[in-house]
Amino acid sequence: MALIVQKFGGTSVGGVERIRAVAERVTASHRAGHQVVVVVSAMSGETDRLLQLARALADAPAERELDTLLSTGEQVTIALLSMALEGIGQPAVSFTGGQVAIMTDSAHNRARIEHIDDHKIRAALDAGKIVVVAGFQGVDPHGNITTLGRGGSDTTAVALAAALHADECDIFTDVDGIYTTDPRVESRARRLDRITFEEMLEMASLGAKVLQTRSVEFAMKYHVPVRVLSSFQDGPGTLVTNEENSVEAPRVSGIAFSRNEAKITVVGVPDHPGIAYAILGPISAANINVDVILQNISEAGKTDFTFTVDRNDFAKTQGILQSVAQQLGAEDVRGDTHIVKVSVVGVGMRSHAGIAATMFETLARENINIQMISTSEIKISVVIEEKYLELAVRALHAAFALDGGAAA
Ligand code: ADP
Ligand code: ASP
Ligand code: MG
């Protein structure tokens, strides 16, 4: 008998028929002799709908109240799935994050799970029930409801799998595995049989939303083998594991991209020591993450300082910079929200020179201007104009032969 955690995303529980199908599937696992913990997201579109309601009433809704609101989406699906299970004769019980004591810190809207009390879950499993837990939510030490950031149900599932020492953590979604790039952008993308934690972590943090970044961090830290599978068809999916392929790893394993980027340039700053700190210090103090950074060569004692932030933080960042720019004697602050970041990722890049050259050559051939570049051991990212996103992804996918063809 194994203990398995199965997570179903928004599309997979997007209507009553689909919820019924999930009930059938998890019951089959239970009847095969396993103990099953199910984690569900809100029905597809529901979290966005709730966000819109909030924004219609407040420009900057209080983060605590937002969490109280957003967590209701998942509360609906746990109850409906449990009813569906009981309806087909399968004993089940639903729990909100607070009810099973998924304890988080108090960082509303992006809380981190700190501790899970497995007591209630184990008792219910031992009583022969399927346990249905709300994804994406927890409770802080003061009893406030918290949420884990968009896509957070993945993290709930992996964290539960870790806490329960589960044998498997299956993430059921609307694609049948992890692909070389988002199959919605490049139809020639290829499903990977396996991917390393390290690569998946990089892909996720660079925008591949198939798994929330933090879920991959958890899986890596607690050695939880994660499999991504389709809710709608049978298949092997993709296993995220520690092991690298026994054959030589491909140089590049995938292309990730993020549309959620914005660029800000502080123009004509007097070039002397301390500029980067003067500009970025107040931004980090406001809890805003800065990503790619570029400082131009100084001309006539002045320089331009450019960096990217999450598009949701753009207005706030600009606000902070107005006064900073004035103090520094900068000429102007310019913003651009029509940019995206495209990245090639692969642990095999470590030992191969020339990946960057191929990437830049491919983009040049397509006449795509590179605005900024950032590299690490296993990825190269470029910032480009938004309208070239699809073109860039497809051209790079072909150039690195990710569809299985010959490299350019
Ligand atoms: P869920 O609601 O089940 O959590 P998400 O929408 O969060 O599903 O994640 C699945 C989506 O991730 C897919 O529909 C796909 O468009 C997108 N995606 C982005 N990059 C990849 C990738 N490399 N492989 C597979 N899917 C990807
Ligand atoms: N419902 C939340 C969201 O839409 C969490 C999740 O689906 O994982 O982001
Ligand atoms: Mg998701």
Side-chain angles (χ1 to χ4, degrees):
M1 182 174 68
L3 196 167
I4 58 187
V5 175
Q6 301 188 321
K7 178 255 171 179
F8 293 85
T11 318
S12 313
V13 291
V16 283
E17 279 316 313
R18 290 190 171 173
I19 292 175
R20 201 169 282 139
V22 169
E24 300 281 356
R25 186 185 272 274
V26 297
T27 299
S29 301
H30 190 263
R31 300 220 166 119
H34 305 307
Q35 293 193 315
V36 186
V37 176
V38 188
V39 174
V40 282
S41 293
M43 294 166 86
S44 57
E46 178 63 7
T47 309
D48 287 331
R49 189 185 73 86
L50 294 169
L51 264 175
Q52 268 170 22
L53 286 176
R55 289 191 183 133
L57 288 166
D59 287 337
E63 292 182 338
R64 178 185 183 279
E65 306 314 328
L66 207 51
D67 278 350
T68 304
L69 177 71
L70 296 186
S71 64
T72 61
E74 273 72 9
Q75 191 167 335
V76 169
T77 43
I78 53 167
L80 291 176
L81 178 58
S82 303
M83 290 172 195
L85 285 164
E86 293 281 354
I88 57 173
Q90 169 60 52
V93 57
S94 72
F95 291 121
T96 63
Q99 285 173 331
V100 274
I102 295 182
M103 302 305 301
T104 72
D105 61 16
S106 300
H108 284 290
N109 308 171
R110 51 181 177 282
R112 281 177 180 270
I113 296 176
E114 290 183 334
H115 178 73
I116 296 179
D117 184 353
D118 64 358
H119 204 73
K120 270 194 190 163
I121 298 181
R122 288 211 188 269
L125 289 173
D126 291 343
K129 292 181 182 173
I130 287 183
V131 175
V132 184
V133 182
F136 176 59
Q137 56 177 264
V139 62
D140 81 355
H142 311 289
N144 298 302
I145 295 172
T146 54
T147 65
L148 311 178
R150 297 309 301 267
S153 300
D154 298 330
T155 302
T156 306
V158 176
L160 275 170
L164 294 163
H165 305 288
D167 299 284
E168 258 176 71
C169 181
D170 296 336
I171 307 287
F172 289 94
T173 182
D174 55 5
V175 275
D176 65 346
I178 298 164
Y179 277 68
T180 46
T181 192
D182 188 340
R184 288 181 211 285
V185 166
E186 171 52 290
S187 58
R188 297 170 66 176
R190 196 166 39 84
R191 186 182 55 77
L192 300 165
D193 284 327
R194 38 177 63 210
I195 185 169
T196 63
F197 284 126
E198 207 182 353
E199 280 168 326
M200 191 57 228
L201 190 60
E202 205 69 35
M203 291 275 279
S205 66
L206 293 168
K209 69 167 186 168
V210 60
L211 287 175
Q212 197 196 33
T213 306
R214 210 164 282 162
S215 73
V216 188
E217 285 170 1
F218 252 103
M220 201 164 165
K221 186 165 171 195
Y222 297 102
H223 306 287
V224 180
V226 171
R227 194 179 283 280
V228 175
L229 300 147
S230 165
S231 289
F232 307 114
Q233 69 198 69
D234 290 332
T238 301
L239 186 66
V240 192
T241 71
N242 258 325
E243 302 154 42
E244 287 189 21
N245 280 338
S246 47
V247 280
E248 193 189 354
R251 292 177 300 163
V252 169
S253 50
I255 316 281
F257 58 83
S258 163
R259 292 187 166 95
N260 197 22
E261 308 285 323
K263 185 177 84 169
I264 295 182
T265 304
V266 187
V267 183
V269 211
D271 192 8
H272 51 67
I275 302 170
Y277 179 64
I279 294 174
L280 299 181
I283 292 167
S284 98
N287 247 325
I288 296 169
N289 277 329
V290 169
D291 186 17
V292 188
I293 302 172
L294 180 78
Q295 185 176 342
N296 288 356
I297 293 171
S298 153
E299 263 179 50
K302 296 213 167 192
T303 187
D304 297 342
F305 191 89
T306 307
F307 59 93
T308 62
V309 293
D310 191 298
R311 222 176 264 186
N312 299 321
D313 290 327
F314 179 66
K316 200 169 162 194
T317 310
Q318 269 199 320
I320 294 171
L321 278 183
Q322 288 313 331
S323 60
V324 173
Q326 227 171 27
Q327 282 162 24
L328 283 176
E331 287 160 14
D332 197 5
V333 177
R334 288 187 202 140
D336 185 352
T337 53
H338 297 284
I339 56 144
V340 291
K341 185 171 69 177
V342 177
S343 312
V344 299
V345 177
V347 291
M349 279 166 59
R350 282 195 184 112
S351 52
H352 287 269
I355 302 278
T358 304
M359 182 178 193
F360 303 152
E361 185 197 347
T362 304
L363 296 173
R365 211 179 327 114
E366 301 295 343
N367 252 321
I368 300 171
N369 188 39
I370 299 172
Q371 302 181 8
M372 300 170 88
I373 300 170
S374 134
T375 65
S376 80
E377 249 201 329
I378 66 164
K379 72 111 202 275
I380 304 169
S381 302
V382 294
V383 172
I384 60 170
E385 218 181 311
E386 184 173 54
K387 68 179 180 197
Y388 294 124
L389 174 76
E390 279 83 4
L391 179 61
V393 169
R394 290 184 195 136
L396 292 169
H397 197 266
F400 290 106
L402 292 174
D403 52 5

